[in-house]
Amino acid sequence: MAIQTRDVSFVSNGHPLNAYFACPAGTGPFPGVVVIHEIFGLNDNIKDIARRFADEGYAALAVDLFAGRNRAVCMARFMAASLFGPLEHGGVRDLKAALTFLTEQPGVDAGRVGAIGFCLGGGFALAWACTDERLKVIAPFYGMAPRPIDAVARSCPVVGSYPDPDFTTAAGRKLDEILDTCDVPHDIKIYKGARHGF
């Protein structure tokens, strides 16, 4: 499938964010997905994932949550927010702005949008899904569960993937249990022998 790609930017909470947009050629309507990076930021691997989604018929926006900021400081703030802060911290607010930007693009079907995230991004996807009804499905890869974990009762459907052994494996199992209890549609898989970053 022919695709189009371009670098884009938008404003979130008063500061500019950069992103990489990939979508099929044509007029759509296309379902949309926000691609959330791990600690390495918006690198070639994440851009390739966005292009792979476009190849499958999605409009994909890979956002750079570190844009114009010190990555180490961002990481410290993001980790503190994930562990001790409210669900709607600065990273989640930036993702909401990214989704707004994505749904405003020509040919994107605002009624069919989701998110995929990796490690840090997987945890962000889970927290975000508890606070934004626009998301229809999320796919966290080895993401830490949000705090409080019972907030996932408000989540959209979840397709989660976790390696074993890994520091995130227990979080994946706990997430599976809680989503069962909350009756949220989900498919959480633990992959024996897989490594972090698979």
Side-chain angles (χ1 to χ4, degrees), residues 52-73:
R52 287 162 57 191
F53 270 104
D55 280 335
E56 296 297 326
Y58 291 81
L61 183 71
V63 60
D64 183 1
L65 296 174
F66 300 150
R69 305 169 180 164
N70 180 289
R71 187 170 79 176
V73 172

Side-chain angles (χ1 to χ4, degrees), residues 134-159:
R134 296 176 298 170
L135 289 170
K136 304 306 180 191
V137 65
I138 60 166
F141 277 73
Y142 33 91
M144 298 303 291
R147 295 183 187 215
I149 193 168
D150 58 0
V152 298
R154 303 190 302 269
S155 176
C156 60
V158 180
V159 179

Side-chain angles (χ1 to χ4, degrees), residues 82-171:
S82 296
L83 292 173
F84 309 112
L87 289 171
E88 186 141 2
H89 51 73
V92 169
R93 287 192 297 272
D94 286 345
L95 292 171
K96 288 184 175 184
L99 183 58
T100 297
F101 177 84
L102 175 61
T103 58
E104 290 172 348
Q105 301 312 298
V108 176
D109 183 351
R112 294 187 297 154
V113 292
I116 184 171
F118 302 89
C119 195
L120 169 80
F124 277 20
L126 285 160
W128 179 19
C130 300
T131 66
D132 194 337
E133 293 180 354
R134 296 176 298 170
L135 289 170
K136 304 306 180 191
V137 65
I138 60 166
F141 277 73
Y142 33 91
M144 298 303 291
R147 295 183 187 215
I149 193 168
D150 58 0
V152 298
R154 303 190 302 269
S155 176
C156 60
V158 180
V159 179
S161 301
Y162 291 81
D164 182 26
D166 188 64
F167 69 92
T168 64
T169 308

Side-chain angles (χ1 to χ4, degrees), residues 33-81:
V33 60
V34 175
V35 182
I36 314 167
H37 61 71
E38 52 201 348
I39 63 169
F40 304 114
L42 180 56
N43 59 16
D44 288 340
N45 177 53
I46 297 299
K47 290 178 180 181
D48 181 59
I49 291 169
R51 289 191 296 270
R52 287 162 57 191
F53 270 104
D55 280 335
E56 296 297 326
Y58 291 81
L61 183 71
V63 60
D64 183 1
L65 296 174
F66 300 150
R69 305 169 180 164
N70 180 289
R71 187 170 79 176
V73 172
C74 277
M75 282 300 305
R77 287 181 181 159
F78 287 158
M79 295 306 292

